Each structure stands twice: as C-alpha cells, then as structure tokens.
Amino acid sequence: MFDDINVLISEEELTDRIKEVAEQINKDYAGKEIHLICILKGGVYFMTELSKYITVPVTLDFMKISSYGSGTKSSGIVKIDMDLSEPIEGEDVLVTEDIIDSGRTLSYLMEVLETRKPKSLRLCTMLDKPERRVVDVKVDYTCFNIPDKFIVGYGLDYDQNYRNLPFIGVPKQFDN
Ligand code: IMP
Ligand code: MG
C-alpha cells in the first residue's frame, strides 16, 4: 500500500513500547492526575495511543505550534498557532510530542509553559533524534531514539502527507 516508504518502526513495535512507557508513567504519577498536552498536529496519534494505557486520571488539552516550513529542515522559528483551552496553573502537566529533532520547538514551548506555573512539567516524546540536537531539552520519557533520517507516519508528515500511516517509515527518496 505504501510502496514508497521503508518501514523503520512497525505498528506492533510502536504500540508495545508505548504501553511500556505508559506503565512507567502510571508508576511515576501514582496517586496524581495528569494533564496531558498534545502538540498538534504531529503528536495526536501518539497522545491518543499513550493515553489509552494511562490508568491514573487524565485530562487532555491541545496546542498547535509550528517550527517547520514545508521542507524537511527546521526553520528555527517557533510560533503558537493555537493555544491551550484551559490554564495549567497547579496541574501536573505532561507534554506529548511526536519527535525532538533540533530541540528548538520544545525548548521554547517548555519555557512558555513553565511561566504558567504548573505544579510539575514533564516531556514525553515518541521519537528522538539525539544526533540532531542544537538546543538542549530535558526529555523525561522517550519511546525510541532514531537515526538522523527524515521519517513520516504515526502523526509525522512530509508536506502534510503520510500522517495516517500506522507505522514510522522513511520515504525512499530520503533513505540513503
Ligand atoms: P525541532 O524544533 O527541530 O526539534 O523540530 C520538531 C518538529 O519538527 C517536530 O515536532 C516535527 O513536527 C518536525 N520534525 C522533525 N523531524 C521530523 C521528521 O523526521 N519528519 C517529520 N517531521 C519532523
Ligand atoms: Mg511536531
């Protein structure tokens, strides 16, 4: 069906690992409530999957930020396109993101959220490309570290396409 994509992480590997991370989160947040923040659009598949296996009480909110243009490289410009619908003061906030690449987007976002006085603020990412880091970001939970390749699927896009792939893959044109 997706002949132009090489699979990097299968759907089964993804869900197995997401369940493991959710179990860790359940232990770390025992007795608390989690206010999950999804970073749109890329984080939506990951956040919904992760939240299904979280057994402590959860509330959800969404924020849209942009850092990428239409290409495959970060512009370094971060903009809030859509803000949260509720204040986070006093909440145990867990941000869920699709991927940390240069780190620019999340380092900026975590600083913005910290000023809103959450009780705690942590970051959970589905994927991390540590080799590409330009700006330091503290990541509390990572499902997979991946090599420096441009990937799509499970929320991640190439020019808005491929977000709905149920796996993480590398478009063949970028796989060399
Ligand atoms: P950063 O600011 O460079 O860390 O970029 C983070 C954002 O860039 C992610 O939330 C993604 O939206 C996007 N991004 C980074 N790497 C990839 C990739 O390999 N494929 C698709 N989008 C990516
Ligand atoms: Mg993103």
Side-chain angles (χ1 to χ4, degrees):
M1 188 171 152
F2 297 107
D3 300 343
D4 50 341
I5 311 282
N6 291 328
V7 177
L8 183 68
I9 307 172
S10 71
E11 184 172 15
E12 195 187 355
E13 288 172 303
L14 273 170
T15 45
D16 285 354
R17 178 66 187 138
I18 291 172
K19 282 179 196 169
E20 275 177 20
V21 171
E23 275 168 30
Q24 185 60 49
I25 290 170
N26 289 332
K27 282 184 195 143
D28 296 350
Y29 287 86
K32 297 181 180 174
E33 293 184 16
I34 305 177
H35 191 58
L36 273 183
I37 292 180
C38 173
I39 308 304
L40 296 171
K41 304 172 188 170
V44 73
Y45 290 77
F46 175 53
M47 188 247 233
T48 49
E49 188 64 17
L50 180 78
S51 63
K52 288 194 283 182
Y53 308 107
I54 296 182
T55 50
V56 302
V58 158
T59 50
L60 309 178
D61 207 348
F62 299 84
M63 194 169 194
K64 185 169 186 304
I65 50 181
S66 46
S67 63
Y68 262 52
S70 57
T72 61
K73 294 274 182 280
S74 176
S75 64
I77 299 162
V78 180
K79 184 161 119 331
I80 297 181
D81 298 323
M82 188 192 93
D83 208 338
L84 298 170
S85 65
E86 285 148 35
I88 56 169
E89 186 169 350
E91 302 282 350
D92 286 308
V93 172
L94 181 58
V95 175
T96 57
E97 172 65 316
D98 51 2
I99 187 165
I100 319 277
D101 186 28
S102 72
R104 286 191 181 101
T105 312
L106 262 292
S107 77
Y108 169 79
L109 181 73
M110 296 303 269
E111 272 173 35
V112 169
L113 294 178
E114 199 62 72
T115 65
R116 300 183 187 182
K117 301 186 170 49
K119 189 159 139 212
S120 68
L121 180 62
R122 286 188 182 174
L123 174 59
C124 179
T125 188
M126 176 170 68
L127 306 172
D128 192 343
K129 289 184 199 168
E131 290 168 50
R132 299 252 311 164
R133 200 71 91 253
V134 176
V135 180
D136 205 32
V137 195
K138 184 173 172 288
V139 187
D140 300 282
Y141 305 95
T142 304
C143 294
F144 295 93
N145 284 322
I146 59 164
D148 180 10
K149 286 187 174 180
F150 187 79
I151 51 95
V152 295
Y154 223 80
L156 288 137
D157 72 303
Y158 176 47
D159 272 350
Q160 299 302 325
N161 292 302
Y162 303 117
R163 290 192 194 274
N164 62 320
L165 302 194
F167 56 86
I168 301 288
V170 185
K172 284 183 180 164
Q173 57 184 305
F174 298 125
D175 208 4
N176 43 42

